[in-house]
Amino acid sequence: MANHSDKNPASVCVTCLHRETGFCRTLFGAPSEDTKTAGEPGWQHFFGARAGSQIAARNHASEDVFVLCAGWAFRYFQLADGRRQILKFLLPGDLFSSTTIFEKAFHFSVKALTAVQVSGFSRSEIRARCAVDPDVQGAIAKSCVIDTHDATELQTSLGQCSAEERIAHLLLHLMPRIAARNVIREQRYPFPLRQQHIADAVGLTPVHVSRVLGLFRERRLLELSEGYLKVINAAELEGIGSLR
Amino acid sequence: MANHSDKNPASVCVTCLHRETGFCRTLFGAPSEDTKTAGEPGWQHFFGARAGSQIAARNHASEDVFVLCAGWAFRYFQLADGRRQILKFLLPGDLFSSTTIFEKAFHFSVKALTAVQVSGFSRSEIRARCAVDPDVQGAIAKSCVIDTHDATELQTSLGQCSAEERIAHLLLHLMPRIAARNVIREQRYPFPLRQQHIADAVGLTPVHVSRVLGLFRERRLLELSEGYLKVINAAELEGIGSLR
DNA sequence: CGGCAGTTTGATGTTACTCAATTTAAGTGG
DNA sequence: CCACTTAAATTGAGTAACATCAAACTGCCG
């Protein structure tokens, strides 16, 4: 696993706690001054990782279930010759994958896109809670449903859509997820992806991604630079990428 | 929903019952003369559907969870302009989707590829059993894990692989699944897909699928006709389509 | 100032798509 | 069993979308 040296026992998953979208909230209950300063319970631990570092690898196993608490990461599948498919961009509150609740071994890898904080929970503890707490059950079920639905959309996008449609769809998929975790003003979204990441997510080359984004910019649909995505014409973007 | 007129109360999901792969086995226990002749319990019912008929539609909801008991079907996602992505080919024992256990509404559609028999189970009954029976829990978890893993592979195949690789991968994915449900002699697999289905599953046009299959045939990797797939050189096929 | 990572641009190549015609296979009714 | 019909598969020619290769450009940081 990744380097645990940035471990910060003082903060208990604060980022996740105050997010409706997060998994931690269900496990901890709503945030309180108590939990924020309580330190780690025995069945939970934290670690940080630098941007670009690998924080989970395919075929490795863990007794823990991991949740991203701060920063961006991505889950991906790598082929022997170096090609990789980015399966999902992980935002604070996201499980690495909902299947990790049921299985020790990963079928995927995870890398940090920015500096991140990750929280690990004992799988057996989560499953014990699941057995008695319908809220936890519901959170797990919801997570599975969302992952599957996202997978369906990605498959459709990759299999059926043009370069423009795929990129527009990716942005449209990310926008509400980013908005759920940040205050958005003037349609300006924090957006740390490099074009290489977009390329690996939508199955194109970075060069072609650059051309398509250039087109979008020319048509005044959006601007993308300096770690921000500014959406100028959301309606037209949806017309291109909405999969309806 | 589909036409229930072919309903056949005499047979209790026999096809699923004697399959290790099936969901019904977990719910019923191993087959016995008893269950085979008992008729339907109140929380389960059957129906048949003709080849080509739609048996589930996106945005429709049902109190039931459906399992394919006989024949082939496929789950797919359709776009407004007619394009469709086939997400999974369903074989006897397969749930339409594992998410149907958690959610009433479908995010996908299902069509029969051959004549089929479908079994519907009351969702509330399954969830009640899940709460008390670890085997049922395990079966559901396994089903989620497999669906997610398959989704990962399909995403990678669609996003990163060439036409040859995608088609080879599809065949390699199906072979063991077919073999688990049929006696295979001489590497000859029952295979009812039309080239159009392959095309919709791997994101190519039927014309191009025909060319690639023609190449495979020329290279003596396989033959594909008359509803059967005959694999001649499995090793080379794996070299092309194995995603390693 | 130089170096580096990321992006943009241009020229060219390849893969897969489109359109259209032809062949094969599968029924169907006489 | 044989014309006839229809769906599916194959083949060829031309084209569009995206990849590849290479060079130039940008912003950033030491």
Side-chain angles (χ1 to χ4, degrees):
Chain A
M1 251 358 268
N3 134 39
H4 284 227
S5 63
D6 306 326
K7 199 168 170 180
N8 176 9
S11 84
V12 176
C13 204
V14 173
T15 312
C16 303
L17 275 167
H18 61 79
R19 295 295 161 208
E20 292 300 329
T21 40
F23 211 81
C24 305
R25 190 193 171 91
T26 307
L27 293 170
F28 283 120
S32 68
E33 287 313 308
D34 247 31
T35 53
K36 272 182 187 161
T37 55
E40 302 184 16
W43 52 283
Q44 186 200 0
H45 60 85
F46 289 88
F47 62 91
R50 266 184 285 279
S53 63
Q54 180 141 340
I55 51 186
R58 182 149 68 104
N59 296 330
H60 284 210
S62 169
E63 297 301 321
D64 281 341
V65 172
F66 296 101
V67 176
L68 186 68
C69 290
W72 286 56
F74 58 92
R75 172 156 51 94
Y76 66 103
F77 189 93
Q78 186 133 33
L79 301 183
D81 59 7
R83 291 178 287 181
R84 72 178 179 193
Q85 176 64 40
I86 292 183
L87 304 160
K88 174 163 181 164
F89 290 102
L90 302 175
L91 273 62
D94 288 338
L95 282 165
F96 279 11
S97 158
S98 30
T99 60
T100 56
I101 292 166
F102 307 121
E103 257 205 335
K104 293 182 182 181
F106 299 141
H107 286 159
F108 51 79
S109 306
V110 177
K111 251 184 192 168
L113 190 64
T114 66
V116 295
Q117 288 287 323
V118 175
S119 175
F121 300 93
S122 148
R123 180 178 297 105
S124 54
E125 179 69 28
I126 287 192
R127 297 189 69 159
R129 289 197 172 212
C130 177
V132 298
D133 184 344
D135 286 353
V136 174
Q137 257 175 58
I140 291 171
K142 190 177 170 192
S143 172
C144 284
V145 168
I146 290 175
D147 272 7
T148 304
H149 186 238
D150 289 352
T152 295
E153 293 216 343
L154 182 53
Q155 282 156 7
T156 305
S157 169
L158 292 172
Q160 305 298 320
C161 294
S162 69
E164 289 191 9
E165 290 171 320
R166 288 187 227 177
I167 293 174
H169 179 258
L170 172 64
L171 301 180
L172 290 166
H173 174 73
L174 286 173
M175 281 158 53
R177 300 187 64 221
I178 300 170
R181 293 158 174 88
N182 299 88
V183 179
I184 307 297
R185 279 171 310 162
E186 314 262 316
Q187 291 282 79
R188 202 158 163 278
Y189 299 80
F191 197 84
L193 311 198
R194 311 280 87 204
Q195 292 185 357
Q196 179 72 62
H197 297 119
I198 299 177
D200 288 342
V202 299
L204 298 167
T205 56
V207 176
H208 201 63
V209 169
S210 170
R211 290 189 217 275
V212 171
L213 289 176
L215 269 176
F216 284 176
R217 205 172 304 138
E218 261 180 41
R219 286 196 244 158
R220 301 208 49 71
L221 301 183
L222 54 79
E223 278 157 25
L224 189 45
S225 60
E226 316 290 318
Y228 281 88
L229 163 68
K230 172 148 189 181
V231 179
I232 299 167
N233 189 339
E236 200 174 332
L237 199 61
E238 273 169 41
I240 298 171
S242 82
L243 293 195
R244 297 299 149 222
Chain B
M1 257 344 279
N3 134 39
H4 285 228
S5 61
D6 306 324
K7 200 169 170 180
N8 176 9
S11 85
V12 175
C13 205
V14 173
T15 312
C16 302
L17 275 168
H18 62 80
R19 294 293 162 210
E20 292 300 328
T21 40
F23 212 81
C24 306
R25 189 191 171 91
T26 307
L27 293 169
F28 282 119
S32 68
E33 286 315 307
D34 246 33
T35 54
K36 272 183 188 161
T37 56
E40 303 184 15
W43 51 283
Q44 184 201 2
H45 60 85
F46 289 87
F47 63 91
R50 266 185 282 279
S53 62
Q54 178 140 341
I55 50 186
R58 182 150 68 105
N59 295 331
H60 284 210
S62 169
E63 298 300 323
D64 282 339
V65 172
F66 295 102
V67 176
L68 186 67
C69 290
W72 286 56
F74 58 92
R75 171 156 53 94
Y76 66 101
F77 189 93
Q78 186 133 33
L79 301 182
D81 59 8
R83 289 177 288 181
R84 72 178 178 192
Q85 176 64 41
I86 292 184
L87 304 160
K88 174 165 182 165
F89 290 103
L90 302 174
L91 272 62
D94 287 339
L95 283 164
F96 280 12
S97 158
S98 30
T99 60
T100 56
I101 291 167
F102 308 120
E103 257 206 336
K104 292 182 183 181
F106 300 139
H107 286 158
F108 52 79
S109 306
V110 176
K111 252 186 191 165
L113 191 63
T114 66
V116 295
Q117 289 285 323
V118 176
S119 176
F121 300 93
S122 147
R123 180 178 298 103
S124 54
E125 179 69 29
I126 288 192
R127 299 191 67 159
R129 290 197 171 212
C130 177
V132 297
D133 184 344
D135 286 352
V136 174
Q137 255 175 57
I140 291 171
K142 189 177 169 192
S143 171
C144 284
V145 167
I146 290 175
D147 271 8
T148 304
H149 186 238
D150 289 352
T152 295
E153 293 216 342
L154 181 54
Q155 282 155 8
T156 305
S157 168
L158 292 171
Q160 305 298 319
C161 294
S162 69
E164 288 190 10
E165 290 171 321
R166 288 188 226 177
I167 292 174
H169 179 257
L170 172 65
L171 300 180
L172 290 166
H173 174 73
L174 286 174
M175 282 158 52
R177 299 187 64 222
I178 300 170
R181 292 157 174 90
N182 299 87
V183 179
I184 307 298
R185 281 170 309 163
E186 315 263 315
Q187 292 281 78
R188 200 156 165 279
Y189 299 80
F191 196 84
L193 311 197
R194 314 276 89 205
Q195 293 186 357
Q196 179 72 62
H197 297 119
I198 299 177
D200 289 341
V202 299
L204 298 167
T205 56
V207 176
H208 200 62
V209 170
S210 170
R211 290 189 218 274
V212 171
L213 289 177
L215 269 176
F216 283 176
R217 204 172 305 137
E218 260 180 42
R219 286 197 244 158
R220 302 209 48 71
L221 302 184
L222 53 80
E223 277 157 25
L224 190 45
S225 61
E226 317 287 319
Y228 282 87
L229 164 67
K230 172 148 188 181
V231 179
I232 299 168
N233 188 339
E236 199 174 333
L237 198 61
E238 273 170 40
I240 298 171
S242 82
L243 293 194
R244 296 299 149 222

